[in-house]
Amino acid sequence: MSRYYFSMQNLDSIGTQIRKLREETEMPLRKLAALLDIDQSTLSKIERDERRANTQIIDQIAKIFKADKEMLLIAFYSDVVAYEIREEKTFSEILQVAEAKIEYQRTIKKNVK
Amino acid sequence: MSRYYFSMQNLDSIGTQIRKLREETEMPLRKLAALLDIDQSTLSKIERDERRANTQIIDQIAKIFKADKEMLLIAFYSDVVAYEIREEKTFSEILQVAEAKIEYQRTIKKNVK
DNA sequence: ATAAATTTGGACATTATTTGTCAAGATATT
DNA sequence: AATATCTTGACAAATAATGTCCAAATTTAT
């Protein structure tokens, strides 16, 4: 159902979600960093939202913990978006217009094909 | 009324909006660039969405053309956001979660004060 | 309580991205 | 055709992101 993520939405940052997945399986940060082929200090910072993850890491995390990749990507991108406009009092309007723009751009693309 | 921007929403990019404002007053690009203290080639690129504007430029544009600064800022930020997630099929969920996160972060801030 | 394992913080070099600037080419206007 | 306007691409400089290391701090196990 299309409102699944809306009703079940998880407001944890992507970093917190990664940390929770890792801790649920009692995997040391050091080991997960090795699996992801990144420095452990980098992973530490990602889990505490001091550094950005990226989609490649999200992808691997989903596989390693058999987690819902789409949900993780939503967490990741919503962090990025929220960070960008968090200080704007019109954040809600900004998001509405952004959505309309994306939809609009897609209808154009379809008609061009 | 709070849904003003929603119903009146302008889906032109910030670049297009700047160009329209400039052309309405028949001001040469060269001259506007001088007022903004940027290179004319940079302004040309901003108007065609090849380079990003910034809030300082938006601010000056609003003053120069006596335009609605808030509307321009919405156009600017919505461009940024739309660009970031335009390829994601879950863009709508991403925006919903981003909004919820910002609201959530603000309630926290208020309670901490 | 101490040792061992784990996580964090900060410095630094490397790489990538953004920004400013210029000059020549293209387009439009007079 | 000359002039004014705008666009394009190249390049350097500034800024930001990323990778890497290691020591300090914290947590866990013995």
Side-chain angles (χ1 to χ4, degrees):
Chain A
M1 208 277 206
S2 93
R3 282 295 160 269
Y4 174 76
Y5 289 105
F6 185 70
S7 52
M8 301 281 289
Q9 99 192 186
N10 182 348
L11 299 189
D12 286 339
S13 70
I14 184 64
T16 298
Q17 292 194 39
I18 292 171
R19 174 151 294 186
K20 281 182 177 174
L21 285 170
R22 181 175 65 75
E23 288 183 338
E24 277 167 12
T25 60
E26 293 180 52
M27 183 189 291
L29 187 150
R30 176 184 48 72
K31 189 179 165 195
L32 179 55
L35 287 174
L36 298 172
D37 194 29
I38 61 178
D39 194 277
Q40 62 176 13
S41 81
T42 301
L43 178 56
S44 170
K45 285 160 192 159
I46 289 172
E47 289 190 352
R48 286 169 300 111
D49 301 305
E50 273 187 31
R51 285 209 184 180
R52 260 205 202 183
N54 60 50
T55 53
Q56 196 192 313
I57 286 173
I58 307 288
D59 211 275
Q60 295 178 88
I61 294 271
K63 279 178 190 147
I64 291 167
F65 298 112
K66 299 184 196 336
D68 182 342
K69 178 178 155 189
E70 204 166 84
M71 195 196 74
L72 292 175
L73 283 173
I74 291 170
F76 170 68
Y77 283 112
S78 63
D79 274 6
V80 171
V81 168
Y83 186 82
E84 205 111 45
I85 62 172
R86 69 199 183 290
E87 307 288 0
E88 296 304 308
K89 65 175 188 298
T90 59
F91 71 94
S92 183
E93 285 84 355
I94 290 169
L95 296 172
Q96 279 175 34
V97 175
E99 181 166 13
K101 281 181 176 176
I102 296 172
E103 280 164 357
Y104 180 62
Q105 285 159 11
R106 291 189 177 191
T107 61
I108 289 173
K109 263 198 181 174
K110 270 187 188 163
N111 294 334
V112 167
K113 274 175 194 167
Chain B
M1 207 275 207
S2 93
R3 283 295 159 268
Y4 175 76
Y5 289 107
F6 186 70
S7 51
M8 301 281 290
Q9 102 193 185
N10 183 347
L11 298 189
D12 285 339
S13 70
I14 182 65
T16 298
Q17 292 194 38
I18 292 171
R19 174 152 293 187
K20 282 183 177 172
L21 286 169
R22 181 174 66 76
E23 289 184 338
E24 276 167 13
T25 60
E26 293 180 55
M27 183 188 291
L29 188 149
R30 174 184 46 73
K31 189 179 165 196
L32 179 55
L35 287 174
L36 297 172
D37 194 29
I38 62 177
D39 195 279
Q40 63 174 9
S41 81
T42 301
L43 178 55
S44 170
K45 285 162 192 161
I46 289 172
E47 289 190 352
R48 287 170 299 108
D49 302 305
E50 274 186 31
R51 284 209 184 179
R52 260 203 202 188
N54 60 51
T55 54
Q56 196 191 312
I57 286 173
I58 307 287
D59 212 275
Q60 296 177 88
I61 295 270
K63 278 177 190 148
I64 291 166
F65 298 111
K66 299 186 196 335
D68 182 342
K69 178 177 155 189
E70 205 167 82
M71 195 196 72
L72 292 175
L73 282 172
I74 290 170
F76 169 68
Y77 282 113
S78 62
D79 275 6
V80 172
V81 167
Y83 186 81
E84 204 111 46
I85 62 172
R86 70 198 182 289
E87 306 288 1
E88 295 304 308
K89 67 175 188 297
T90 59
F91 71 94
S92 184
E93 285 84 355
I94 290 168
L95 296 172
Q96 280 176 32
V97 174
E99 181 166 14
K101 281 181 177 175
I102 295 172
E103 281 163 358
Y104 180 63
Q105 286 159 11
R106 291 189 177 193
T107 61
I108 289 173
K109 264 198 180 173
K110 270 188 187 161
N111 295 334
V112 168
K113 273 175 196 166

